[in-house]
Amino acid sequence: MKSFAIFISGRGTNMEALLKAHRDGALHARPAVVISNKSDARGVAVAGSYGAPVETVPWKNADAAEGRCIEILKDRGVDFIVLAGFMKILTPRLIGAFRHRILNIHPALLPAFPGTHAQKQALDYGVRYTGCTTHFVTEGVDAGPVILQRVVPVYDGDTEELLSARILRFEHEILIESVNLMAADCLEVLDGRNVRIHHEVRA
Ligand code: GAR
């Protein structure tokens, strides 16, 4: 079974969805370690409550931080990485070491509304539908090959909190689904842009 690392920065509900799915036997990969750039993140305590090993890596210097992460990932024999509400931008060093093996969850239908506060961006723009996206991480921010997406409606009178909560449960769904596809070797990046999803086991 493949194993993966989860990177977090905050409350960690996406991470928790993965840990819960693993506990319930619904995840076909093993969460080997949670890495947080903040020691006091709510997600750190949550990971502990699931018995997941946690490492805190301060991110003052990105190069040093990524060097430390690479050591941890090697020690734990990690096959791939999931960014689950991780708010630091990775450099080509870590991205290159795990090419097409880093997944990110984003709370909008990329390429619309990249970066931070994607739900507020959607409300300010006035779109009727937004959603969430899982994608592979490349050197461009939120610009990598798309894996899965879900469409979520925006309602009149929505606040950022209401819309974020509506999107979040779909984030959890597609993140679990994407990890399972990754674990089963079902994702192929064809040309650096398009992802083919293989539903049969490949030779
Ligand atoms: C999630 O909505 C995630 O999509 C978003 O941060 C939130 C983290 O929540 N990520 C980004 O905006 C990345 N650009 P969580 O800590 O409860 O999973």
Side-chain angles (χ1 to χ4, degrees):
M1 184 181 275
K2 294 216 161 116
S3 70
F4 66 103
I6 308 172
F7 282 34
I8 61 164
S9 294
R11 64 186 174 176
T13 71
N14 277 288
M15 170 207 72
E16 187 170 6
L18 291 170
L19 296 177
K20 187 168 181 301
H22 179 252
R23 188 192 64 193
D24 297 346
L27 204 67
H28 310 304
R30 189 176 61 84
V33 62
V34 172
I35 294 180
S36 174
N37 64 303
K38 287 186 184 165
S39 58
D40 59 351
R42 172 193 173 269
V44 168
V46 174
S49 75
Y50 280 81
V54 183
E55 300 268 4
T56 300
V57 178
W59 223 266
K60 274 206 176 96
N61 173 311
D63 196 52
E66 290 189 359
R68 175 71 191 124
C69 287
I70 289 169
E71 269 175 25
I72 295 168
L73 299 169
K74 271 198 190 142
D75 283 353
R76 304 238 176 217
V78 161
D79 296 296
F80 64 95
I81 298 168
V82 174
L83 307 184
F86 184 66
M87 294 306 185
K88 295 288 175 187
I89 292 172
L90 298 182
T91 78
R93 181 180 183 189
L94 186 53
I95 296 170
F98 281 81
R99 174 72 54 199
H100 297 155
R101 289 190 296 142
I102 308 177
L103 282 63
N104 182 43
I105 177 79
H106 184 76
L109 292 174
L110 290 171
F113 313 130
T116 54
H117 305 293
Q119 304 93 333
K120 182 172 187 306
Q121 291 186 55
L123 283 176
D124 289 349
Y125 195 94
V127 292
R128 296 294 183 192
Y129 292 92
T130 180
C132 49
T133 303
T134 53
H135 66 92
F136 286 111
V137 173
T138 57
E139 283 77 2
V141 176
D142 296 328
V146 169
I147 303 169
L148 295 176
Q149 294 188 303
R150 283 287 189 286
V151 177
V152 177
V154 181
Y155 298 131
D156 288 349
D158 257 351
T159 60
E160 190 180 348
E161 290 68 34
L162 283 171
L163 180 60
S164 300
R166 193 175 310 123
I167 295 170
L168 194 61
R169 54 175 282 251
F170 294 100
E171 292 187 33
H172 297 168
E173 279 184 21
I174 63 170
L175 191 56
I176 291 168
E177 223 177 297
S178 300
V179 166
N180 279 336
L181 289 168
M182 188 72 190
D185 225 359
C186 291
L187 300 175
E188 183 185 7
V189 181
L190 292 180
D191 47 10
R193 181 70 266 160
N194 288 276
V195 175
R196 175 167 295 168
I197 300 177
H198 296 270
H199 288 288
E200 315 82 37
V201 175
R202 287 190 287 157

